[in-house]
Amino acid sequence: MTDLPSGWAKAQLSEICEINPRVDKSDFAPDTTVSFVPMSAIEAGTGKIDITEERAFSRVKQGYTPFTEGDVLFAKITPCMENGKIAIVPELLGGTGFGSTEFHVLRPSEGIDSRFIYQTISNQGFRYFAEHNMTGAVGQKRVPSTVLEEHGVRIPPQNEQRRIVEKIEALFDEIDKGVEGLRTAKATLDLYRQSLLKSAFEGRLTAEWRAQNADKLEDSKFLLSRAEAERNNWYWKASEEWNDRVASWSAAGKEGPKPRQSERYKPSSALTPSELDTLPTIPSDWIFLRLNDIAAISSGMSVSKSRKLVDPVEVSYLRVANVQRGHLELDEVKMMQVERSQSASLLLTEWDVLFNEGGDRDKLGRGWVWECQVPLCITQNHVFRASPFRHDLSWSKYISRWGNSFGRDYFEKSGKQTTNLASINKNTLKALPVPYCSPAEQVEIVRLLDTHLETANALEAEINAALTRADALRQSILKKAFSGQLVPQDPTDEPASALLERIQSERAKAPKARRKRKASA
């Protein structure tokens, strides 16, 4: 707060704004219609506010936050802090409105521009300060009014405030035009990915390849035999491994529970006509099989500190948050203890395909391929794993790409919804239809998808970097604005010290009166 520009002064926010001012409610009849602003009416990070909702005064006079035109609303609760829900109140029905109790209201004094206050508290530095001075329970912390009241700010002369905000708005408009173009490009990339995946799983992506490689194609009868052979071979190996684990367990004195055996395969039901109607049209030499026919499905282990273990071993485990759509986020992987004799059957193996069991409805079934990034790792019970009978990275990617695209609609329609969460069960996952084609074509599909999607991902990374730079540019502009470097000072402007003295004088004349003012232009 040193080295003030010429004509500037320093003050606390409470010296230039009323924080959470009262509104005289005696002017309102119970049936008076007033504007209402829920938290959802303010768009995070933009200052856009929707004033279309109206309510009777009798419904809002108790338990809601009052405000008037020109006030600045600041969302004070944890979920709203990251991008900031901040807005200037526009014209209101009757001049007064009511809104969420999670708003702080700042009413600038005469001579203080509402837009200047808005930009001041939109500044990343202020929001960082506010966030790190929140109080209350984790997840529902709030910014106390004292944080606003005692925050020090630099105040330019009244005319310079206007010049600053006009310059900020002009520069931000230019940035917003560029950001809009970047977001349009990003949306176009999403449509391109969807189109690419649709083309892949309808056989159009490899139509030319099929025409040139007819000798590598297999008919539907051969594909069924291949799938059966892969399945039988996997279960035979799984049985041999289980026998070895049981022998080792017995030799060690049968400490802990007996090792788990893989769930036995039960033939799947045929796809119904209604199911086939929802699936894409595939080439005549492809077939649909259920996930149960091409992979062994298993659940993870629930997290419990009260579980009593005979011979514990500590392992890493994947949560729903680790398993994203098309990638894994492994920056934070937690640990749990399990029985040593059970660990081998729980451990993820190379190229298992992960599917989330629950969460928001649009997150059902999302996942990706496990590539042994973390040693000795299992899944929590909210994450399923599918172990493909054909042990091949390309095949696992194929299954996961299908699950993240066409499978997404399947999971959303099949999931069960509770009050807060949606979920799928193991039987739903087992029943997922998957297009099955010749291995050579499947490898070509994944190769083409990887190539095109990597290009799209690289472009998206460039767009995201540009969006980050745009946000950094905004913060740079604000930093210059509040240090007096954005617009030149005018020596003929009335100094801010005189403005502050006038505000203090007005407050001293009527310390208890409800002061009215017009919103700053």
Side-chain angles (χ1 to χ4, degrees), residues 173-232:
D173 281 346
E174 291 299 315
I175 294 173
D176 289 342
K177 290 176 184 176
V179 166
E180 184 179 356
L182 290 170
R183 287 177 176 160
T184 299
K186 194 170 181 178
T188 302
L189 274 179
D190 286 339
L191 292 174
Y192 168 73
R193 289 190 185 96
Q194 294 172 25
S195 175
L196 183 67
L197 290 164
K198 188 174 188 295
S199 176
F201 293 116
E202 289 180 348
R204 289 182 286 110
L205 189 62
T206 47
E208 185 178 343
W209 181 92
R210 274 201 312 279
Q212 297 173 355
N213 294 271
D215 59 316
K216 298 178 181 178
L217 302 179
E218 300 169 356
D219 61 25
S220 58
K221 186 178 293 186
F222 194 94
L223 289 176
L224 282 171
S225 299
R226 173 185 286 280
E228 183 179 5
E230 290 171 345
R231 183 170 60 247
N232 291 339

Side-chain angles (χ1 to χ4, degrees), residues 275-431:
E275 285 180 301
L276 290 170
D277 286 343
T278 64
L279 295 170
T281 301
I282 57 176
S284 59
D285 53 342
W286 291 22
I287 59 174
F288 276 109
L289 294 174
R290 297 194 188 275
L291 187 60
N292 176 61
D293 299 316
I294 59 174
I297 317 298
S298 55
S299 304
M301 177 67 72
S302 62
V303 179
S304 174
K305 294 182 179 180
S306 62
R307 187 182 292 120
K308 295 181 180 180
L309 304 175
V310 177
D311 184 20
V313 60
E314 192 168 59
V315 295
S316 305
Y317 71 92
L318 300 183
R319 301 164 291 132
V320 168
N322 298 124
V323 183
Q324 299 295 314
R325 197 175 298 282
H327 69 282
L328 303 178
E329 292 185 359
L330 303 175
D331 291 340
E332 183 185 10
V333 178
K334 297 188 176 183
M335 309 290 290
M336 75 162 77
Q337 290 188 334
V338 298
E339 286 286 5
R340 189 180 303 276
S341 62
Q342 304 290 301
S343 61
S345 61
L346 294 170
L347 289 176
L348 288 167
T349 58
E350 185 180 43
W351 305 332
D352 280 349
V353 182
L354 305 171
F355 293 88
N356 277 338
E357 174 213 30
D360 296 335
R361 203 165 193 85
D362 64 341
K363 296 179 177 63
L364 294 179
R366 77 177 182 191
W368 189 234
V369 179
W370 178 248
E371 297 184 68
C372 298
Q373 297 95 322
V374 179
L376 297 178
C377 190
I378 67 173
T379 62
Q380 190 183 4
N381 59 314
H382 298 303
V383 179
F384 293 114
R385 64 166 171 155
S387 301
F389 300 139
R390 186 194 308 164
H391 189 246
D392 177 81
L393 176 59
S394 177
W395 179 225
S396 295
K397 281 185 175 183
Y398 178 92
I399 295 171
S400 193
R401 294 269 191 223
W402 168 261
N404 285 325
S405 53
F406 283 92
R408 189 169 179 171
D409 287 339
Y410 169 82
F411 293 127
E412 288 187 22
K413 291 175 182 176
S414 304
K416 294 182 178 179
Q417 184 74 48
T418 61
T419 303
N420 298 317
L421 297 173
S423 63
I424 55 174
N425 57 35
K426 188 190 290 188
N427 288 334
T428 299
L429 183 58
K430 284 182 175 182

Side-chain angles (χ1 to χ4, degrees), residues 10 43 79 97 99 141 207 218 224 262 274 323 337 341 359 426 503 515:
K10 52 187 178 181
E43 187 175 277
K141 289 187 174 183
E218 300 169 356
L224 282 171
S262 299
S274 61
V323 183
Q337 290 188 334
S341 62
K426 188 190 290 188
I503 292 172
R515 294 179 293 109

Side-chain angles (χ1 to χ4, degrees), residues 461-472:
E462 291 181 13
I463 292 171
N464 289 336
L467 289 170
T468 300
R469 288 194 296 271
D471 188 56

